[in-house]
mmCIF file of all heavy atoms in Angstrom:
data_model
loop_
_atom_site.group_PDB
_atom_site.id
_atom_site.type_symbol
_atom_site.label_atom_id
_atom_site.label_comp_id
_atom_site.label_asym_id
_atom_site.label_seq_id
_atom_site.Cartn_x
_atom_site.Cartn_y
_atom_site.Cartn_z
ATOM 1 N N ASP B 184 46.424 -2.291 20.252
ATOM 2 C CA ASP B 184 45.786 -3.540 20.654
ATOM 3 C C ASP B 184 45.073 -4.176 19.473
ATOM 4 O O ASP B 184 43.937 -3.870 19.219
ATOM 5 C CB ASP B 184 44.827 -3.258 21.815
ATOM 6 C CG ASP B 184 44.203 -4.535 22.415
ATOM 7 O OD1 ASP B 184 44.667 -5.597 21.994
ATOM 8 O OD2 ASP B 184 43.335 -4.409 23.240
ATOM 9 N N GLU B 185 45.764 -5.070 18.803
ATOM 10 C CA GLU B 185 45.228 -5.749 17.619
ATOM 11 C C GLU B 185 44.429 -4.772 16.730
ATOM 12 O O GLU B 185 43.225 -5.068 16.450
ATOM 13 C CB GLU B 185 44.370 -6.928 18.012
ATOM 14 C CG GLU B 185 45.030 -7.863 18.966
ATOM 15 C CD GLU B 185 44.356 -9.198 19.047
ATOM 16 O OE1 GLU B 185 43.713 -9.645 18.046
ATOM 17 O OE2 GLU B 185 44.470 -9.912 20.075
ATOM 18 N N PRO B 186 44.989 -3.654 16.348
ATOM 19 C CA PRO B 186 44.139 -2.609 15.669
ATOM 20 C C PRO B 186 43.609 -3.046 14.348
ATOM 21 O O PRO B 186 42.601 -2.524 13.911
ATOM 22 C CB PRO B 186 45.120 -1.411 15.573
ATOM 23 C CG PRO B 186 46.481 -2.046 15.561
ATOM 24 C CD PRO B 186 46.387 -3.265 16.402
ATOM 25 N N PHE B 187 44.211 -4.045 13.730
ATOM 26 C CA PHE B 187 43.800 -4.420 12.363
ATOM 27 C C PHE B 187 43.047 -5.768 12.334
ATOM 28 O O PHE B 187 42.737 -6.288 11.297
ATOM 29 C CB PHE B 187 45.035 -4.537 11.437
ATOM 30 C CG PHE B 187 45.859 -3.307 11.473
ATOM 31 C CD1 PHE B 187 47.256 -3.413 11.552
ATOM 32 C CD2 PHE B 187 45.312 -2.041 11.425
ATOM 33 C CE1 PHE B 187 48.029 -2.283 11.575
ATOM 34 C CE2 PHE B 187 46.117 -0.934 11.468
ATOM 35 C CZ PHE B 187 47.483 -1.032 11.552
ATOM 36 N N SER B 188 42.733 -6.312 13.482
ATOM 37 C CA SER B 188 42.222 -7.664 13.520
ATOM 38 C C SER B 188 40.832 -7.790 12.819
ATOM 39 O O SER B 188 40.499 -8.852 12.383
ATOM 40 C CB SER B 188 42.131 -8.159 14.938
ATOM 41 O OG SER B 188 41.233 -7.368 15.695
ATOM 42 N N ALA B 189 40.109 -6.699 12.754
ATOM 43 C CA ALA B 189 38.782 -6.792 12.203
ATOM 44 C C ALA B 189 38.755 -6.611 10.672
ATOM 45 O O ALA B 189 37.754 -6.709 10.023
ATOM 46 C CB ALA B 189 37.844 -5.729 12.814
ATOM 47 N N LEU B 190 39.927 -6.344 10.094
ATOM 48 C CA LEU B 190 39.969 -6.027 8.678
ATOM 49 C C LEU B 190 40.250 -7.234 7.820
ATOM 50 O O LEU B 190 40.877 -8.214 8.277
ATOM 51 C CB LEU B 190 41.053 -4.991 8.401
ATOM 52 C CG LEU B 190 40.922 -3.656 9.082
ATOM 53 C CD1 LEU B 190 42.161 -2.810 8.881
ATOM 54 C CD2 LEU B 190 39.676 -2.966 8.530
ATOM 55 N N ASP B 191 39.810 -7.224 6.542
ATOM 56 C CA ASP B 191 40.151 -8.300 5.666
ATOM 57 C C ASP B 191 41.633 -8.234 5.322
ATOM 58 O O ASP B 191 42.283 -7.186 5.499
ATOM 59 C CB ASP B 191 39.306 -8.190 4.375
ATOM 60 C CG ASP B 191 39.607 -6.942 3.616
ATOM 61 O OD1 ASP B 191 40.496 -6.971 2.789
ATOM 62 O OD2 ASP B 191 38.928 -5.890 3.872
ATOM 63 N N ILE B 192 42.203 -9.329 4.828
ATOM 64 C CA ILE B 192 43.627 -9.470 4.712
ATOM 65 C C ILE B 192 44.304 -8.457 3.838
ATOM 66 O O ILE B 192 45.373 -7.900 4.144
ATOM 67 C CB ILE B 192 44.025 -10.931 4.331
ATOM 68 C CG1 ILE B 192 45.520 -11.161 4.391
ATOM 69 C CG2 ILE B 192 43.498 -11.293 2.971
ATOM 70 C CD1 ILE B 192 46.033 -11.225 5.845
ATOM 71 N N GLN B 193 43.633 -8.066 2.720
ATOM 72 C CA GLN B 193 44.203 -7.086 1.802
ATOM 73 C C GLN B 193 44.264 -5.681 2.455
ATOM 74 O O GLN B 193 45.354 -5.039 2.470
ATOM 75 C CB GLN B 193 43.454 -7.006 0.482
ATOM 76 C CG GLN B 193 43.661 -8.133 -0.453
ATOM 77 C CD GLN B 193 42.745 -9.319 -0.149
ATOM 78 O OE1 GLN B 193 41.869 -9.227 0.764
ATOM 79 N NE2 GLN B 193 42.970 -10.424 -0.823
ATOM 80 N N THR B 194 43.169 -5.234 2.976
ATOM 81 C CA THR B 194 43.107 -3.970 3.645
ATOM 82 C C THR B 194 44.087 -3.907 4.804
ATOM 83 O O THR B 194 44.811 -2.916 5.037
ATOM 84 C CB THR B 194 41.731 -3.693 4.195
ATOM 85 O OG1 THR B 194 40.748 -4.070 3.269
ATOM 86 C CG2 THR B 194 41.551 -2.253 4.604
#
Side-chain angles (χ1 to χ4, degrees):
Chain B
D184 186 6
E185 309 198 27
F187 308 134
S188 61
L190 298 173
D191 63 88
I192 188 73
Q193 285 84 7
T194 316

